Amino acid sequence: MTSSEARVRDVLTAQPVIDGHNDLPIAFYELCDYDLDAHDLSGSVPQLHTDLPRLREGQVGAQFWSLWVPQDEHSVRRTFEQLDFMLRLVDRFPDALQLASTAADVDAAIKAGRVASLMGMEGGHSIGESLGVLRVMRELGVRYMTLTHNNNVSWADSATDEPVLGGLNDFGEEVVREMNRIGMLVDLSHVSPDTMRHALRVTSAPVIFSHSSSRAVCDVPRNAPDDVLETLARNDGVCMVTFVPYFVSQAYVDWVAGAREAAEKQGLDPNEPETRKRLAEIYGKPKPLATLADVVEHVEHVREVAGVDHIGVGGDYDGCPEFPVELPDVSSYPALFGALADRGWSDDELAKLAGGNILRVLRAADDASA
């Protein structure tokens, strides 16, 4: 074991990783319709990026599990079904997982040697335009809501849809204020830059990006622009850097754009599954691999712009099919922290990134809603 590996082990023992976003619920649904008897997460489940042994290997102490469902007329019901899955999952593995809703709960779970299991709704469509549903979700333990997913909701613009509102409408502002009041974290991943700026003007509490990276490093609308990161620092919020190749590697983004254009020139639909499998062949160029170095560049840039007190990690494991080659699954977090240790990060700085910063934001929300 190298000196940096030993340092990272010790840092993550004292302050385990608190990850902002993991899509195990929808991945488990797609794998086996939430059947906990079909795949035993206490052992190896290679079809997924997440299982209990790899969480332990990755020194994960707390996880925000994402409640994501398609955006349709069944969204609210299906979100409750995912919440039910998470409750059953924690109940199935009481020695490994512990339900958490507050910062104190997180501390207690980590002290007991269990992974604190928090929940976050990924998309405002999960409340069906109802503040009542929002409040019930909070009562049931949901700690953040991403204001949109890939499509607009009636009250907020998404980063990957045509803008309609230029941010939030009056009801969207009301949603943000009610989230502040009840202690639910406002998550600005997936929203348009104008929605980011609008929400930051409205909120009275620190906000988060549960799984976003830097737009200055990788120019996709899902990432946070520098002016937003500067405002986030003044808000005392946290940007939890994600590992998704399309959000961290500009070479990957450029290749996807070129491959899609090549497919369209041949009269093919680049969104069709069989075409997607053949994009490298159609384009005539191999897909570049995202790397640990790409993620490190985002972490360093967010630190430079927002400061070391305003950064965390949100891998998005089980939320996309591939990850940087050195960060293949939830066992990989020590590799990132080792790379940063080698670049001169102190133990205190590594601990802030690992979980200290998001715990501060969670405590502030707990105190505000007490």
Side-chain angles (χ1 to χ4, degrees):
M1 180 179 292
T2 67
S3 59
S4 62
E5 288 173 337
R7 272 187 62 206
V8 165
R9 180 198 59 199
D10 291 344
V11 167
L12 297 183
T13 297
Q15 173 54 75
V17 172
I18 302 176
D19 180 272
H21 194 91
N22 183 301
D23 274 302
L24 176 66
I26 191 64
F28 208 78
Y29 168 76
E30 292 173 347
L31 181 63
C32 57
D33 196 22
Y34 300 135
D35 183 356
L36 285 165
D37 293 322
H39 295 277
D40 182 7
L41 287 166
S42 67
S44 175
V45 185
Q47 301 94 324
L48 301 171
H49 300 128
T50 307
D51 52 42
L52 299 182
R54 284 181 287 177
L55 285 170
R56 286 191 292 273
E57 186 179 348
Q59 293 191 262
V60 177
Q63 179 66 64
F64 285 89
W65 302 105
S66 172
L67 308 181
W68 177 82
V69 299
Q71 188 166 343
D72 58 28
E73 67 273 20
H74 305 296
S75 296
V76 174
R77 172 182 60 79
R78 293 188 68 182
T79 303
F80 278 115
E81 289 171 350
Q82 282 213 341
L83 197 156
D84 170 71
F85 164 73
M86 279 310 309
L87 297 177
R88 291 189 296 111
L89 177 67
V90 171
D91 187 61
R92 173 64 67 95
F93 301 109
D95 294 334
L97 304 175
Q98 185 167 319
L99 201 63
S101 180
T102 67
D105 291 342
V106 172
D107 291 338
I110 290 173
K111 186 176 181 180
R114 304 184 184 104
V115 177
S117 294
L118 304 113
M119 292 177 284
M121 289 183 291
E122 190 176 15
H125 58 282
S126 283
I127 64 168
E129 301 186 357
S130 168
L131 294 181
V133 172
L134 177 73
R135 288 187 285 266
V136 169
M137 291 292 189
R138 177 65 194 93
E139 286 291 324
L140 292 173
V142 178
R143 276 319 303 255
Y144 73 64
M145 182 172 72
T146 321
L147 299 186
T148 73
H149 190 244
N150 287 339
N151 300 110
N152 299 338
V153 292
S154 64
W155 45 272
D157 286 344
S158 168
T160 47
D161 200 350
E162 289 298 318
V164 173
L165 303 171
L168 303 169
N169 65 11
D170 289 346
F171 181 70
E173 292 189 356
E174 191 176 356
V175 169
V176 169
R177 293 190 183 102
E178 186 66 0
M179 292 175 71
N180 293 162
R181 188 188 72 80
I182 64 178
M184 185 179 284
L185 303 182
V186 174
D187 177 18
L188 299 182
S189 288
H190 278 289
V191 306
S192 73
D194 283 339
T195 303
M196 297 175 193
R197 298 178 183 112
H198 196 156
L200 280 161
R201 291 195 301 270
V202 172
T203 186
S204 60
V207 306
I208 67 169
F209 288 82
S210 68
H211 59 308
S212 294
S213 293
S214 163
R215 190 157 186 178
V217 177
C218 185
D219 188 14
V220 292
R222 267 282 281 106
N223 285 338
D226 279 1
D227 71 288
V228 170
L229 292 173
E230 291 168 356
T231 306
L232 181 73
R234 295 192 293 273
N235 166 262
D236 205 28
V238 176
C239 178
M240 307 181 83
V241 171
T242 193
F243 305 164
V244 176
Y246 192 80
F247 304 151
V248 300
S249 167
Q250 191 64 52
Y252 189 100
V253 171
D254 294 343
W255 182 90
V256 170
R260 289 175 64 88
E261 182 180 0
E264 289 168 352
K265 284 181 178 178
Q266 294 186 28
L268 301 171
D269 179 0
N271 297 314
E272 201 274 328
E274 287 305 313
T275 302
R276 286 205 306 269
K277 292 177 184 176
R278 297 180 51 241
L279 280 177
E281 173 191 338
I282 293 165
Y283 193 25
K285 299 179 182 179
K287 184 193 298 183
L289 296 173
T291 66
L292 171 61
D294 292 322
V295 177
V296 167
E297 186 176 2
H298 284 269
V299 172
E300 294 277 29
H301 186 84
V302 175
R303 173 184 173 160
E304 179 182 347
V305 176
V308 73
D309 293 321
H310 307 290
I311 187 164
V313 291
D316 201 8
Y317 286 114
D318 284 306
C320 68
E322 56 191 345
F323 282 88
V325 289
E326 304 96 331
L327 300 169
D329 56 45
V330 296
S331 70
S332 308
Y333 297 101
L336 171 62
F337 285 83
L340 294 170
D342 289 341
R343 292 171 68 95
W345 283 52
S346 71
D347 290 359
D348 183 59
E349 290 165 341
L350 292 171
K352 289 180 177 183
L353 174 69
N357 290 335
I358 186 62
L359 271 179
R360 182 193 71 244
V361 170
L362 197 60
R363 287 195 181 99
D366 291 344
D367 292 344
S369 62

